[in-house]
Amino acid sequence: MSYKRLLTIQDISCVGQCSLTVALPILSACGHETAILPSAVLSTHTSGFTGFTFRDLVEDMPAIGAHWVKEGIRFAAVYTGYLGSVGQVDYVRRIMSTTLEDGGLRIVDPAMADNGKLYPLFGQDYVEAMKNLCFESDILLPNITEACYLTGMEYRTEYDEGYIRDLLGALRAAGAKTVVLTGVSYEPTTTGVVVMEGDEVTYYRHRRLSQSCHGTGDVYASAFVGALMNGIPAATAAAVAADYTVACMENTVGDPNHTYGVKFEPVLGRLIERIATERA
C-alpha cells in the first residue's frame, strides 16, 4: 500500500487516553501520516471526572479548512470522533467535501452516547445534526446506543439477533452504507462486532471482560481505521481492532490507579504485527 495521509477530527482530552491522544499514536503506528483537527480542548474526558474544562474550537475550523484548500492539501480518508458542538457538524461536512481525494473515505464514529444515554453537553439537536454526517459517510461505526439515537429505535439492554438485524436495517434505510456496529453481545461471557457491507452481514465474537474501561471506543475505531487504510477488508479490520482493544483492556484491568482509560501504548506492537500479518 502507498503511504497515505489521513485526517482525524475529534477533541483533545488532555488527560484520559481517548480521542486525539489515542487516535494520533494508533494511526501513526499503523503506518499512516496523520493530520489532526481538534474539535475541542478538555482538561479531561467527560466520563468519571467532574469539573472538567471545555473549550469549543468551532470558530477555528473554517479558516483551517480554507487554508488546506488553498495549499491543495488532500486526504485519503477523514475519520471523525467526538465533535464539540452542533455548529461543528456542517464545518466537518464541508471539510470532507473540499479536502478528500477522489475516492477518499468518510469514516464516522458518532461518539455521542453509550449505555442508553447521550454524553454530557449533548441534546437531541446534536443527534439531528449528526444524522446528516453519519448517513453521508462511507463507513459508520456506532455502538448500539448511538444506532438507536440515529434511527429512533428503542434501546434495549437485552436483545436477540432479530433486534440487531432490525437495527442494521433501519441504519441502511436511513442511508448508511458500510456499518460496523460495536458492543453486540448475545450471551454474558462474550461480545463482538457486527459488520454490514451491502447485503453481507458478519459477526466477530470475542471474550467479554468483566470490567469496562473508558476510551475503548476510540481505541477500537482508531485501530479499525488504521487496519482498513492498510488495504485490509472491513470485516477483517473489525476483528483486528476488536482483538487489539481486548489486549489493551487486559493490559489495564487490575490496576486500581488506572481507571480513566486503557494502557494501549505498551501493546501497540501487537497491532503493528497483526496488520503486517493480515497484509501478507
mmCIF file of all heavy atoms in Angstrom, residues 86 112 118-128 149:
data_model
loop_
_atom_site.group_PDB
_atom_site.id
_atom_site.type_symbol
_atom_site.label_atom_id
_atom_site.label_comp_id
_atom_site.label_asym_id
_atom_site.label_seq_id
_atom_site.Cartn_x
_atom_site.Cartn_y
_atom_site.Cartn_z
ATOM 1 N N VAL A 86 -22.997 21.297 18.062
ATOM 2 C CA VAL A 86 -23.818 21.203 16.858
ATOM 3 C C VAL A 86 -23.204 22.000 15.716
ATOM 4 O O VAL A 86 -23.190 21.550 14.558
ATOM 5 C CB VAL A 86 -25.248 21.716 17.158
ATOM 6 C CG1 VAL A 86 -26.055 21.840 15.869
ATOM 7 C CG2 VAL A 86 -25.953 20.789 18.137
ATOM 8 N N MET A 112 -21.216 9.897 20.650
ATOM 9 C CA MET A 112 -22.133 10.816 21.326
ATOM 10 C C MET A 112 -22.943 10.175 22.441
ATOM 11 O O MET A 112 -23.629 10.885 23.192
ATOM 12 C CB MET A 112 -23.092 11.448 20.309
ATOM 13 C CG MET A 112 -24.008 10.468 19.597
ATOM 14 S SD MET A 112 -25.084 11.321 18.395
ATOM 15 C CE MET A 112 -25.970 9.903 17.710
ATOM 16 N N LEU A 118 -27.144 9.909 26.097
ATOM 17 C CA LEU A 118 -26.215 10.815 25.429
ATOM 18 C C LEU A 118 -25.123 11.242 26.401
ATOM 19 O O LEU A 118 -25.325 11.276 27.617
ATOM 20 C CB LEU A 118 -26.943 12.058 24.927
ATOM 21 C CG LEU A 118 -27.906 11.877 23.746
ATOM 22 C CD1 LEU A 118 -28.714 13.145 23.541
ATOM 23 C CD2 LEU A 118 -27.158 11.505 22.476
ATOM 24 N N TYR A 119 -23.959 11.599 25.853
ATOM 25 C CA TYR A 119 -22.889 12.140 26.672
ATOM 26 C C TYR A 119 -23.285 13.515 27.225
ATOM 27 O O TYR A 119 -24.143 14.198 26.643
ATOM 28 C CB TYR A 119 -21.613 12.293 25.847
ATOM 29 C CG TYR A 119 -20.965 11.001 25.410
ATOM 30 C CD1 TYR A 119 -20.123 10.981 24.303
ATOM 31 C CD2 TYR A 119 -21.157 9.805 26.092
ATOM 32 C CE1 TYR A 119 -19.511 9.804 23.884
ATOM 33 C CE2 TYR A 119 -20.556 8.633 25.683
ATOM 34 C CZ TYR A 119 -19.734 8.630 24.580
ATOM 35 O OH TYR A 119 -19.134 7.479 24.170
ATOM 36 N N PRO A 120 -22.654 13.936 28.313
ATOM 37 C CA PRO A 120 -22.883 15.299 28.815
ATOM 38 C C PRO A 120 -22.621 16.337 27.714
ATOM 39 O O PRO A 120 -21.771 16.135 26.858
ATOM 40 C CB PRO A 120 -21.861 15.432 29.950
ATOM 41 C CG PRO A 120 -21.627 14.039 30.414
ATOM 42 C CD PRO A 120 -21.717 13.177 29.174
ATOM 43 N N LEU A 121 -23.369 17.406 27.741
ATOM 44 C CA LEU A 121 -23.292 18.549 26.818
ATOM 45 C C LEU A 121 -24.078 18.332 25.531
ATOM 46 O O LEU A 121 -24.227 19.267 24.741
ATOM 47 C CB LEU A 121 -21.843 18.919 26.467
ATOM 48 C CG LEU A 121 -20.872 19.150 27.621
ATOM 49 C CD1 LEU A 121 -19.487 19.480 27.072
ATOM 50 C CD2 LEU A 121 -21.348 20.280 28.530
ATOM 51 N N PHE A 122 -24.586 17.108 25.271
ATOM 52 C CA PHE A 122 -25.307 16.844 24.033
ATOM 53 C C PHE A 122 -26.805 16.702 24.285
ATOM 54 O O PHE A 122 -27.229 16.155 25.310
ATOM 55 C CB PHE A 122 -24.808 15.552 23.367
ATOM 56 C CG PHE A 122 -23.410 15.629 22.828
ATOM 57 C CD1 PHE A 122 -22.649 14.481 22.670
ATOM 58 C CD2 PHE A 122 -22.846 16.834 22.465
ATOM 59 C CE1 PHE A 122 -21.368 14.540 22.176
ATOM 60 C CE2 PHE A 122 -21.561 16.908 21.967
ATOM 61 C CZ PHE A 122 -20.812 15.754 21.823
ATOM 62 N N GLY A 123 -27.606 17.175 23.310
ATOM 63 C CA GLY A 123 -29.051 17.023 23.346
ATOM 64 C C GLY A 123 -29.559 16.519 22.011
ATOM 65 O O GLY A 123 -28.780 16.174 21.113
ATOM 66 N N GLN A 124 -30.876 16.501 21.847
ATOM 67 C CA GLN A 124 -31.462 15.967 20.623
ATOM 68 C C GLN A 124 -31.063 16.785 19.404
ATOM 69 O O GLN A 124 -30.985 16.241 18.287
ATOM 70 C CB GLN A 124 -32.990 15.912 20.754
ATOM 71 C CG GLN A 124 -33.692 15.169 19.629
ATOM 72 C CD GLN A 124 -33.256 13.721 19.499
ATOM 73 O OE1 GLN A 124 -32.972 13.055 20.497
ATOM 74 N NE2 GLN A 124 -33.211 13.213 18.272
ATOM 75 N N ASP A 125 -30.790 18.068 19.583
ATOM 76 C CA ASP A 125 -30.354 18.881 18.447
ATOM 77 C C ASP A 125 -29.031 18.369 17.891
ATOM 78 O O ASP A 125 -28.801 18.400 16.675
ATOM 79 C CB ASP A 125 -30.241 20.355 18.834
ATOM 80 C CG ASP A 125 -29.294 20.608 19.997
ATOM 81 O OD1 ASP A 125 -29.021 19.666 20.775
ATOM 82 O OD2 ASP A 125 -28.832 21.764 20.144
ATOM 83 N N TYR A 126 -28.169 17.879 18.769
ATOM 84 C CA TYR A 126 -26.905 17.319 18.308
ATOM 85 C C TYR A 126 -27.138 16.022 17.523
ATOM 86 O O TYR A 126 -26.506 15.778 16.486
ATOM 87 C CB TYR A 126 -25.982 17.047 19.500
ATOM 88 C CG TYR A 126 -24.588 16.606 19.118
ATOM 89 C CD1 TYR A 126 -23.621 17.530 18.760
ATOM 90 C CD2 TYR A 126 -24.246 15.256 19.102
ATOM 91 C CE1 TYR A 126 -22.347 17.130 18.391
ATOM 92 C CE2 TYR A 126 -22.975 14.843 18.741
ATOM 93 C CZ TYR A 126 -22.030 15.783 18.385
ATOM 94 O OH TYR A 126 -20.770 15.373 18.013
ATOM 95 N N VAL A 127 -28.046 15.195 18.011
ATOM 96 C CA VAL A 127 -28.382 13.958 17.307
ATOM 97 C C VAL A 127 -28.872 14.264 15.898
ATOM 98 O O VAL A 127 -28.442 13.626 14.920
ATOM 99 C CB VAL A 127 -29.454 13.168 18.080
ATOM 100 C CG1 VAL A 127 -29.888 11.931 17.283
ATOM 101 C CG2 VAL A 127 -28.932 12.746 19.453
ATOM 102 N N GLU A 128 -29.760 15.234 15.774
ATOM 103 C CA GLU A 128 -30.309 15.567 14.458
ATOM 104 C C GLU A 128 -29.216 16.064 13.521
ATOM 105 O O GLU A 128 -29.198 15.711 12.327
ATOM 106 C CB GLU A 128 -31.411 16.618 14.597
ATOM 107 C CG GLU A 128 -32.637 16.126 15.350
ATOM 108 C CD GLU A 128 -33.254 14.886 14.725
ATOM 109 O OE1 GLU A 128 -33.383 14.858 13.482
ATOM 110 O OE2 GLU A 128 -33.609 13.951 15.464
ATOM 111 N N TYR A 149 -30.232 6.092 18.714
ATOM 112 C CA TYR A 149 -30.496 7.527 18.583
ATOM 113 C C TYR A 149 -30.578 7.936 17.116
ATOM 114 O O TYR A 149 -31.396 8.785 16.740
ATOM 115 C CB TYR A 149 -29.410 8.334 19.292
ATOM 116 C CG TYR A 149 -29.681 8.586 20.753
ATOM 117 C CD1 TYR A 149 -28.988 7.898 21.741
ATOM 118 C CD2 TYR A 149 -30.638 9.520 21.156
ATOM 119 C CE1 TYR A 149 -29.240 8.122 23.089
ATOM 120 C CE2 TYR A 149 -30.893 9.755 22.495
ATOM 121 C CZ TYR A 149 -30.196 9.051 23.460
ATOM 122 O OH TYR A 149 -30.458 9.278 24.786
#
